[in-house]
Amino acid sequence: MAARLLLRSALRAATVSRASPALVLNRGMAAGGIPTDEEQATGLEKVIMTAAKEGADPYNLMRPKEYAGSKADPHMVPSISNKRIVGCEEDNTAVVWFWLHQGEAQRCPSCGAHYQLVAHELPH
Ligand SMILES: [Zn+2]
């Protein structure tokens, strides 16, 4: 009698353990398959993915655009305030630091390259 009960419970356990992976698989398939990164993303990751789709770069993750540095095409410097310190690399050995203020484009005191401050708002 005891052996029959043990055999029955072992068979029940084996049946349940075989059914479990199928249930998990069915649950995942019912939702339409494996979710994409965009479907799984939340919070900051989702904000960045949404902005990247629209061509925006709110956290400056992409490489900055290059400008000629001339008066017509000055280097654009984003800033959250009305001034920002800028370092202009003269050659590979020296950097000239100066304050860039809001308004018209300013020239580097050493090489004459033009820089212009542009307002930048933090995304949150
Ligand atoms: Zn310079």
Side-chain angles (χ1 to χ4, degrees):
M1 181 76 177
R4 193 178 277 173
L5 279 174
L6 278 174
L7 182 63
R8 193 177 295 164
S9 65
L11 278 174
R12 191 175 296 145
T15 307
V16 169
S17 68
R18 260 187 256 138
S20 292
L23 286 175
V24 170
L25 187 63
N26 285 339
R27 206 177 317 151
M29 298 297 279
I34 299 171
T36 63
D37 287 346
E38 287 84 16
E39 291 169 342
Q40 294 186 82
T42 59
L44 187 58
E45 185 181 18
K46 187 162 186 122
V47 169
I48 292 171
M49 282 183 168
T50 305
K53 274 187 176 178
E54 296 167 358
D57 185 21
Y59 293 98
N60 297 323
L61 299 174
M62 308 300 281
R63 183 176 180 200
K65 292 178 187 172
E66 291 192 21
Y67 301 96
S70 64
K71 191 170 186 177
D73 187 24
H75 297 287
M76 296 296 181
V77 180
S79 176
I80 58 170
S81 69
N82 59 358
K83 64 181 179 179
R84 184 171 178 181
I85 195 161
V86 173
C88 185
E89 189 174 306
E90 298 305 310
D91 51 28
N92 288 336
T93 59
V95 176
V96 174
W97 297 97
F98 62 96
W99 280 103
L100 182 63
H101 297 273
Q102 194 172 25
E104 291 187 17
Q106 289 178 232
R107 294 184 72 186
C108 168
S110 180
C111 70
H114 287 77
Y115 291 87
Q116 183 158 15
L117 199 74
V118 290
H120 179 75
E121 285 187 27
L122 293 175
H124 60 80

